[in-house]
Amino acid sequence: MSILNADLHCHSIVSDGTLTPEDLAARAAANGVELWSLTDHDEIGGQHRAAAAARAHGMKYLSGTEISVSFAGQTVHIVGLGFDPDDAEMQRGLHATRGGRGARAQEISSQLAKVGIHGAYEGALRYAGNPELVSRTHFARFLVEGGVCKDMGDVFRRYLTEGKPGYVEHRWASLGDAVRWITRAGGMAVIAHPARYRFTPTEEYALFIEFKAHGGQGVEVVTGSHTAAEYVEYAVTAHEFGLAASRGSDFHSPEESHTDLGQLPYLPGELTPVWEVLADRIQ
Ligand code: AMP
Ligand code: MN
Ligand code: MN
Ligand code: MN
């Protein structure tokens, strides 16, 4: 069934969102979401709360996360869905992936200090709901609230991205490790927002081929990070690579996100939705 209001990608205060898992669940339910997943970056600490809140609102739930991966010199995000949130190997892997964020945040802060922006580390920490997960988003909020930048887009155009002050090269998990943590815990690995990366066609092809070779099975087609033209483009890609298709808003915050929970077009009918493959993992 492609006609299902599934939203399988969003963030809470456990990573870089601004709402609690409970408030996200309430918002998703109010927006008509029927099947939901909370996919915090490199962290599954909110999973039991999210599943309970989904149940309280009569929504179906799939466990979720979004793992940061380094591939061909860029950061790629791999969404995991339907895994066992108590799986020890996956918890260890995510803990290790989060591990480098503290030193990275200090380094981001010293770079910003060199261009006259002081106290960014402490500033970002004030916005972080989880001290193990200080992300560029928290620095961006600090820069907007302090009047340095006018909005989040302005921050990432002027700071924190390659070639700009506050950009720190970072080594995340490997593609194979991320896919294996998810699949060995009983879940499905899904390439998040593929149109967002700046790969050459050859690099993108390698990403899809290697992802499949490691056991990856899905790709996001309809996401808040894609244009309508990109829905069509990646529907074709999903079909060509024999991948199941996912749908998710990538909602972070009522003030910042353009796409609200559950407010996306349905998946194209000819694709296999991830929730069909994951039917027995739905709570
Ligand atoms: P990090 O994992 O610390 O590298 O932070 C990445 C996060 O920054 C992403 O998950 C987004 O939430 C946010 N982000 C990256 N680029 C942008 C952008 N251009 N506009 C708004 N948020 C962005
Ligand atoms: Mn984010
Ligand atoms: Mn992402
Ligand atoms: Mn995301």
Side-chain angles (χ1 to χ4, degrees):
M1 262 284 278
S2 301
I3 309 297
L4 180 76
N5 194 343
D7 194 323
L8 305 179
H9 190 149
C10 67
H11 301 274
S12 76
I13 51 163
V14 174
S15 64
D16 63 347
T18 61
L19 301 184
T20 61
E22 289 77 13
D23 287 345
L24 281 171
R27 192 176 180 99
N31 286 356
V33 171
E34 297 162 274
L35 171 65
W36 180 52
S37 181
L38 171 66
T39 55
D40 279 310
H41 295 284
D42 307 325
E43 177 61 277
I44 52 180
Q47 289 306 305
H48 289 297
R49 285 171 67 181
R55 207 176 311 122
H57 287 282
M59 287 185 295
K60 292 186 170 130
Y61 190 76
L62 276 170
S63 61
T65 186
E66 181 177 23
I67 307 180
S68 310
V69 158
S70 294
F71 184 86
Q74 291 190 48
T75 300
V76 167
H77 286 169
I78 300 296
V79 163
L81 297 171
F83 52 85
D84 169 11
D86 298 321
D87 183 84
E89 194 191 348
M90 178 147 182
Q91 286 180 344
R92 267 196 304 275
L94 294 181
H95 186 260
T97 305
R98 290 194 298 275
R101 281 186 179 268
R104 173 190 187 237
Q106 300 271 13
E107 176 63 24
I108 290 175
S109 184
S110 26
Q111 279 200 25
L112 290 174
K114 284 183 194 141
V115 296
I117 300 162
H118 298 282
Y121 178 75
E122 294 73 18
L125 258 188
R126 280 203 300 275
Y127 292 94
N130 175 356
E132 274 192 43
L133 211 121
V134 185
S135 99
R136 285 183 294 161
T137 312
H138 302 115
F139 281 93
R141 289 187 185 130
F142 166 74
L143 292 173
V144 172
E145 308 279 309
V148 177
C149 294
K150 73 172 184 346
D151 56 30
M152 301 290 276
D154 189 31
V155 175
F156 287 94
R157 272 188 300 276
R158 292 165 56 201
Y159 302 96
L160 313 181
T161 48
E162 208 168 341
K164 307 288 162 63
Y167 178 72
V168 176
E169 223 11 275
H170 193 75
R171 185 65 175 261
W172 301 107
S174 75
L175 180 64
D177 280 347
V179 172
R180 272 187 298 276
W181 296 333
I182 296 162
T183 52
R184 285 187 186 161
M188 184 198 283
V190 177
I191 297 177
H193 44 62
R196 280 251 303 268
Y197 313 122
R198 302 222 179 95
F199 288 130
T200 63
T202 309
E203 288 168 338
E204 188 185 68
Y205 182 80
L207 170 66
F208 277 82
I209 290 291
E210 290 184 35
F211 173 73
K212 281 211 72 164
H214 289 302
Q217 288 180 278
V219 61
E220 286 186 346
V221 172
V222 176
T223 129
S225 303
H226 284 178
T227 63
E230 288 162 349
Y231 301 159
V232 178
E233 186 183 342
Y234 286 94
V236 173
T237 307
H239 189 73
E240 282 175 344
F241 284 92
L243 294 168
S246 193
R247 174 184 192 260
S249 58
D250 208 352
F251 181 81
H252 283 70
S253 150
E255 287 77 35
E256 295 159 11
S257 296
H258 303 296
T259 308
D260 206 338
L261 289 155
Q263 310 283 299
L264 290 160
Y266 290 117
L267 278 184
E270 72 278 13
L271 299 174
T272 303
V274 291
W275 52 88
E276 233 171 71
V277 184
L278 289 168
D280 65 345
R281 309 293 306 175
I282 293 173
Q283 293 170 258

